[in-house]
Amino acid sequence: MLLLLLLAASSAQPAADVVARFGSRPITASQLSRRLQPGADARATLEDLVNDTALAEEAQRQGYGKDPRVRAEVESRVRKLAGELFLENEVESGLKIDDRLLSDLYHSQEDSVRMRLIVLPSEKDAAECLTRLRKGASFAAEALNSLDPDGKRTGGTLGLQSRGQFEPALQDFAFRAPLKQPAGPVKLALGWGVIEVLERTVAPESGLAARREKLVAFAQQQLRRQIRTHYLGQLRKQAGVVLDEKFLQSTGKRLDATPAEEQHVVATVYGKPMRYGELLPEVRRLAGGMTGGHFSGPSVKLEVAGEEANERALGETAMRRGYGTSPRVAAVLPDIERDAMVRAFAEDLRKRVVVSDAEVEQAYRKRLAEFTRPGHRRCSHILSASEKDSESLRARIEKGARFDEVAQEESRDTQSAARGGLIGDLPDDRLEAAGRDPGQAALVKALLSTPAGAVSRPVKSSAGWHLVRCGAHVPAAPAPLSEVAPAIRAQLQREKGDEAVKAAIARARAGEPLQVNEAALRQLAGRHG
């Protein structure tokens, strides 16, 4: 009932604050402002807000206000907002940006230096290098021994860089060393450095005033981040958080989970369980739904778990301090409840949609051209450094050696060698495009013309010399329905789900006119433009 009570209370809003009326319900400027993004279309945003209001009221009538998913989302969002208010009022309120800090920040961005740098493993090595340079040795020659790989490539020369781009020891040294003279040694993170400053610019203090406002904002942002990180670490200890790293490691790069795994407690925060299933939606979002990559792996899961534990520790502390019932939370609570009910209701509407096999087949027939794959050949190769080497390997194959075994042992293309020389299915259109490159033309011709199962004569490309073996050419044809049916079904499910939600909105809005105060809407849009 909370949402309906809050909506009823909003009917007492002053007329000046009302942007529109949906039936008898006012839509206020403050409600719309909370949703309106800078540069967004105000009328479209208003329509979205009205749609959500109508859908939320229908969801409320169907009991979604008591749905566990809704209550959990509302509690989570209130806890998170309370945590932000707690940080703002009790941790960040004493943030001080003094003139010394602003000056240091200004010079870290505006001062610049171009120099040459050699990094060596010991102070003795650096001192000996400095001696040789002062006696006339070539800086570029000495840089060949540098631990810095970029230095080896560029003769030690670094591009023009700001003071803040260097590590502290190097920036301090570079801005007091003599110009165009070898200097050092200086202790660096990677080793011991010898430098030669080629040019240097120190920004005038007079320029600080023009940049002061932006520097203050940047400094506040950086300090808030540092304070937040430090404070969250303290709260996490107070909350007794210990992550079950062994369990998270055991899940590998999987994005699925058994019911038991979803219920597994990966940490407790002030005695309250945090379950693996509660973390999976965020992991899946970061991984883009793709299993097997870095973002589906244990390190990301550990990071997600740690951040969630931090947020819960912060939120619980804030709730205990009373921030969950503060006026600022109360002001947006209707939005939070509405959005949570809309999401749960829309989720269920989409789940109820059924896509039949006949609909999948009909969509397949209708869009057959989309599923037509170009002609292709499955090809393998063995890459050698010279024509002589390539001829020698071909002779071994002609005497009975297996192509795939020779490729594994001898091919210089390590990626395909691991697969017995297999390149894969090469579509006609890709081969045609590659054949226009003079460095690939001869290779492409061999891939297209070598008889199925035969091994080509050595053929040269920009990468080296190749022996090619391909299967029969497969002409262009539609992919079989069995192969593409899951993707078609998923798309139809989304489309029919969207239609179901739109139909529910239309029913909820039926007979409820929307009256817009055009002047108020234009004024609000101007403030957010």
Side-chain angles (χ1 to χ4, degrees), residues 226-376:
Q226 293 171 16
I227 291 171
R228 182 187 180 94
T229 300
H230 175 72
Y231 195 78
L232 287 179
Q234 291 183 323
L235 286 181
R236 187 164 158 175
K237 289 180 182 178
Q238 293 174 16
V241 175
V242 178
L243 293 180
D244 189 345
E245 295 187 18
K246 184 177 179 180
F247 169 79
L248 291 170
Q249 291 284 354
S250 74
T251 65
K253 294 185 176 182
R254 292 187 293 116
L255 293 178
D256 60 340
T258 66
E261 286 174 331
E262 288 191 354
Q263 291 301 312
H264 185 88
V265 177
V266 295
T268 56
V269 183
Y270 285 117
K272 296 180 180 180
M274 186 174 82
R275 304 183 191 279
Y276 182 58
E278 296 168 331
L279 307 177
L280 275 177
E282 177 62 11
V283 176
R284 287 170 180 150
R285 184 190 69 79
L286 291 171
M290 301 294 290
T291 298
H294 166 73
F295 287 100
S296 68
S299 61
V300 171
K301 292 173 182 176
L302 279 165
E303 185 177 345
V304 169
E307 290 178 357
E308 180 63 20
N310 287 347
E311 291 296 337
R312 293 193 183 194
L314 173 62
E316 184 64 27
T317 301
M319 295 296 285
R320 292 181 178 191
R321 300 282 185 91
Y323 282 91
T325 55
S326 68
R328 285 176 62 179
V329 171
V332 298
L333 189 56
D335 296 1
I336 294 173
E337 282 235 344
R338 178 197 63 226
D339 294 346
M341 284 195 292
V342 165
R343 270 189 283 272
F345 188 25
E347 178 184 332
D348 288 349
L349 287 170
R350 289 187 168 92
K351 284 180 179 177
R352 293 171 197 155
V353 167
V354 176
V355 176
S356 68
D357 292 343
E359 288 175 304
V360 172
E361 185 170 358
Q362 183 182 15
Y364 173 73
R365 302 295 175 198
K366 185 177 180 181
R367 296 158 46 196
L368 200 58
E370 295 179 30
F371 306 116
T372 297
R373 296 183 297 198
H376 60 277

